[in-house]
Amino acid sequence: LGCPLIPDVVLCFYHFCKLVFFLSCRYVSKTAAQPVSEFEYDAPSMKTPVPGPKSKLSPPPHSLFISQNVGAVNFFCNYEESRGNYLVDADGNRMLDLYTQISSVPIGYNHPALMKAITNPNNLTAFVNRPALGILPPENFPEKLIESLLSVAPAGMTRVQTMACGSCSNENAFKAMFIWYKIKERGASGPSAEEMSSCMINQGPGCPDLSILSFMGGFHGRTMGCLATTHSKVIHKLDIPSFDWPIAPFPKLQYPLEQFVRENAQEEARCLEEVEDLIVKWRQKGKPVAGIIVEPIQAEGGDNHASHDFFIKLRNIARKHGCAFHVDEVQTGGGTTGKFWAHEHWGTGDPADIVSFSKKMLTGGYYFKDELQPDKGYRIFNTWMGDPSKNVFLSEVLNVIRRENLLEEVTRSGKALLQGLYELQAQYPHLLSRARGLGTFCAIDARDDVTRDNLILKTRDKGVLLGGCGEMSIRFRPSLVFKEYHAHQFLNIFNDVLAEYK
């Protein structure tokens, strides 16, 4: 083809065909229009490998950081320089953050609305004082709850109990379900003398053999009661005593969902049948199921989905057997699925008896129906029971969500992200499979756990932070200000990583 007899136009056409062939073999995401914003950076910027020299734990001064187990520390961060969707580390590396502190940053780093809230003189006492809310709440606390948490209460929820984190939210929700179950069982009569005396030595009937039904693959926290319902990773549970509580199988769906409708329906029916069998079995064992806990999407356990019909039928099973139904929205709540609560996708007006929350809500707690209100004070109690300053921030977050229509933004950017993942798994079927998601709450499987971990690290070195979950899944947990052009930024970088991966 280098022969001078061939006209230049033919040679040009040849090189053009080579270019077309190359592009046809390489996924290239389009670039969405990017608005000008002082709030954000425009792209990742990498100066060193991650962790860099300043993040290394071996040399001083970080070697003095021995007050906690540092085995899980990835790197040290410069939060002063972080903006919007970009996290900056101690070495000045600027990374597009699609993991956001394990799904807990609602509207990006250093959002102007939150910076303004903390400088508002009217909010100062909320930050300076942290009262024991259970006995001495601020006079405006009910008003602040109405402005923040109660303004987004799930359907049928009339009350909210604030807590500090997700684990203590679920732990105390379990206590509320047990108290409710026993009060319902006793009827009008109060606890007997035997119950009151036996509970002081950890014996029945005062400490009854009640149970909570959970699902294999679920994650509900690391405190003692929560660990009995957590079944995602060995590292959480090893060496810790636990309760003899029933564990049901969670549906293992085949993807894409539209191609396996019959098979997935059969799998969900099998799991629901097992739930009923376990409730009956544990009642016969003398350990009746007081409540059922489930995530709308199993997050830590591998981003496992189930149909809306599955959850509606599960809710009906709980009602049929007199169990409280607890929906754990610690990771899925706050708008990341395109609706404020993931269970809203089910389309039912009576989704649960209890809904727990934390992470993107900035504070912990649980919503509950009137009948789950404890009969006496101090039964659900700790010193702080949350933090009023978090309600200040949450009110501002909710204002931003409404003002900027962020739930619609999540839906748009989520479609771009998921479509890109579909295209990448089609191009790299030897590396990726099972792309799935709702809003920006997305995941994709690598071929094995080693490949998953390597892809996450290589993508990080190119300026994007991702998280892992389950056995071999990569999970995406961006903030609500994650836009389409951020999705395309990530997809192009991830494509480069996949193209180079052996």
Side-chain angles (χ1 to χ4, degrees):
L1 286 173
C3 175
L5 297 177
I6 298 179
D8 289 345
V9 66
V10 176
L11 192 60
C12 290
F13 180 72
Y14 164 73
H15 288 299
F16 172 75
C17 290
K18 283 177 62 179
L19 177 62
V20 170
F21 175 78
F22 172 74
L23 291 177
S24 68
C25 295
R26 181 179 185 273
Y27 172 84
V28 179
S29 177
K30 67 179 181 179
T31 301
Q34 178 176 348
V36 177
S37 172
E38 295 180 2
F39 170 44
E40 272 219 328
Y41 299 108
D42 59 355
S45 174
M46 303 303 291
K47 299 178 179 179
T48 72
V50 181
K54 292 183 179 179
S55 277
K56 297 291 187 183
L57 297 178
S58 51
H62 296 320
S63 60
L64 302 178
F65 183 60
I66 57 173
S67 60
Q68 68 181 56
N69 185 343
V70 299
V73 173
N74 285 220
F75 53 84
F76 288 87
C77 301
N78 183 341
Y79 289 106
E80 289 77 10
E81 295 300 321
S82 300
R83 297 283 185 278
N85 291 281
Y86 297 91
L87 177 64
V88 178
D89 73 0
D91 293 279
N93 295 304
R94 186 169 71 227
M95 291 165 275
L96 179 63
D97 191 355
L98 273 72
Y99 194 36
T100 61
Q101 313 291 323
I102 319 176
S103 191
S104 64
V105 178
I107 54 175
Y109 296 103
N110 291 310
H111 194 285
L114 301 187
M115 301 299 280
K116 184 177 179 181
I118 203 169
T119 60
N120 185 337
N122 296 326
N123 295 332
L124 287 182
T125 58
F127 295 108
V128 172
N129 305 293
R130 188 175 184 183
L133 287 172
I135 56 172
L136 298 168
E139 62 178 332
N140 65 353
F141 191 58
E143 174 189 336
K144 294 300 181 183
L145 286 181
I146 291 172
E147 290 178 4
S148 58
L149 288 167
L150 290 173
S151 74
V152 290
M157 302 287 110
T158 55
R159 297 175 180 267
V160 66
Q161 175 63 67
T162 55
M163 287 289 165
C165 68
S167 289
C168 60
S169 301
N170 285 336
E171 193 84 18
N172 282 282
F174 291 175
K175 289 169 60 179
M177 289 191 286
F178 290 139
I179 292 169
W180 163 81
Y181 191 90
K182 289 302 294 183
I183 290 175
K184 181 180 61 167
E185 192 175 70
R186 291 190 194 103
S189 61
S192 66
E194 184 184 11
E195 285 176 314
M196 289 190 287
S197 61
S198 61
C199 75
M200 298 304 294
I201 55 172
N202 302 334
Q203 300 293 319
C207 290
D209 257 339
L210 299 177
S211 61
I212 302 289
L213 184 144
S214 56
F215 289 86
M216 186 60 67
F219 179 88
H220 303 289
R222 294 176 173 87
T223 51
M224 292 295 289
C226 292
L227 270 180
T229 61
T230 286
H231 318 287
S232 55
K233 290 177 182 171
V234 171
I235 194 69
H236 304 319
K237 296 176 68 71
L238 185 65
D239 301 328
I240 311 299
S242 195
F243 300 110
D244 181 21
W245 290 356
I247 309 164
F250 193 81
K252 294 183 178 180
L253 302 188
Q254 300 181 56
Y255 296 87
L257 297 176
E258 61 273 11
Q259 294 182 17
F260 298 97
V261 174
R262 181 175 59 83
E263 294 88 344
N264 288 339
Q266 291 174 345
E267 169 68 358
E268 292 187 342
R270 179 188 72 84
C271 294
L272 291 169
E273 183 178 356
E274 181 70 13
V275 167
E276 289 218 68
D277 289 346
L278 286 169
I279 292 173
V280 172
K281 181 179 179 181
W282 251 255
R283 185 184 300 126
Q284 293 171 344
K285 287 176 61 172
K287 300 181 179 184
V289 175
I292 297 173
I293 185 169
V294 69
E295 299 161 272
I297 302 171
Q298 285 189 336
E300 172 76 9
D303 268 43
N304 305 314
H305 291 247
S307 72
H308 307 333
D309 183 64
F310 172 83
F311 291 106
I312 292 171
K313 288 178 178 176
L314 183 64
R315 204 280 184 264
N316 289 337
I317 288 173
R319 191 183 289 111
K320 171 183 173 182
H321 290 276
C323 312
F325 191 56
H326 177 175
V327 177
D328 181 348
E329 291 255 21
V330 167
Q331 190 159 152
T332 53
T336 189
T337 66
K339 292 185 181 294
F340 200 86
W341 302 107
H343 70 254
E344 292 180 68
H345 291 279
W346 305 346
T348 174
D350 184 26
D353 299 304
I354 288 183
V355 175
S356 53
F357 58 86
S358 188
K359 291 192 180 286
K360 279 187 169 61
M361 299 296 286
L362 300 179
T363 184
Y366 59 90
Y367 298 96
F368 60 101
K369 290 188 170 182
D370 287 345
E371 53 264 37
L372 276 98
Q373 175 75 5
D375 56 339
K376 296 180 179 64
Y378 292 100
R379 301 207 73 182
I380 302 294
F381 188 85
N382 57 54
T383 299
W384 283 328
M385 300 180 74
D387 181 352
S389 69
K390 303 308 179 187
N391 288 324
V392 173
F393 285 135
L394 180 58
S395 292
E396 292 303 319
V397 167
L398 296 176
N399 288 337
V400 171
I401 290 173
R402 293 163 182 145
R403 184 170 64 245
E404 299 182 10
N405 298 314
L406 290 187
L407 297 187
E408 296 177 13
E409 191 76 64
V410 165
T411 300
R412 285 192 297 270
S413 55
K415 286 180 180 178
L417 176 59
L418 190 56
Q419 182 58 39
L421 293 175
Y422 286 147
E423 294 176 14
L424 286 175
Q425 76 177 13
Q427 186 169 343
Y428 302 99
H430 60 295
L431 294 175
L432 301 175
S433 64
R434 301 180 74 243
R436 56 206 183 272
L438 199 57
T440 55
F441 200 99
C442 296
I444 195 166
D445 281 7
R447 66 185 174 198
D448 52 45
D449 60 336
V450 174
T451 301
R452 185 267 310 276
D453 295 344
N454 285 336
L455 288 174
I456 289 175
L457 292 178
K458 288 179 180 296
T459 305
R460 186 177 73 182
D461 281 338
K462 287 185 178 291
V464 177
L465 290 175
L466 303 172
C469 64
E471 295 180 0
M472 60 188 72
S473 297
I474 299 171
R475 56 174 155 173
F476 305 90
R477 301 291 189 268
S479 72
L480 303 182
V481 296
F482 181 81
K483 301 183 185 299
E484 287 182 79
Y485 66 83
H486 294 118
H488 297 307
Q489 259 185 7
F490 156 70
L491 292 166
N492 284 327
I493 291 171
F494 196 42
N495 175 77
D496 291 340
V497 171
L498 294 167
E500 297 169 2
Y501 196 83
K502 303 300 182 184

